[in-house]
Amino acid sequence: MDGFAGKALYTYRYSYMPRRWVGILERHGFRDVEARVIDAPEPGHIGTLLVRAHG
């Protein structure tokens, strides 16, 4: 299966830290989950959340 299935859910990327995203995705059946924040190019700006997982 590609993409997402189920009810749409809106959230902000900064609602949770990467470790929490890993737990959420694992509880929903994803495996080999990795989540990290890539620093923003500008000091003080919010970074980019990068998550990789297999369904």
Side-chain angles (χ1 to χ4, degrees):
M1 171 178 18
D2 293 329
F4 297 95
K7 185 178 176 183
L9 179 66
Y10 182 82
T11 186
Y12 293 100
R13 104 86 186 122
Y14 46 84
S15 295
Y16 307 115
M17 298 300 288
R19 186 169 152 185
R20 180 92 185 264
W21 281 114
V22 170
I24 290 168
L25 292 170
E26 287 175 341
R27 281 192 304 279
H28 288 277
F30 289 90
R31 57 186 170 75
D32 300 325
V33 182
E34 295 178 22
R36 64 185 177 113
V37 174
I38 299 170
D39 290 335
E42 297 289 328
H45 287 213
I46 206 164
T48 298
L49 176 70
L50 179 64
V51 179
R52 185 188 66 78
H54 296 276

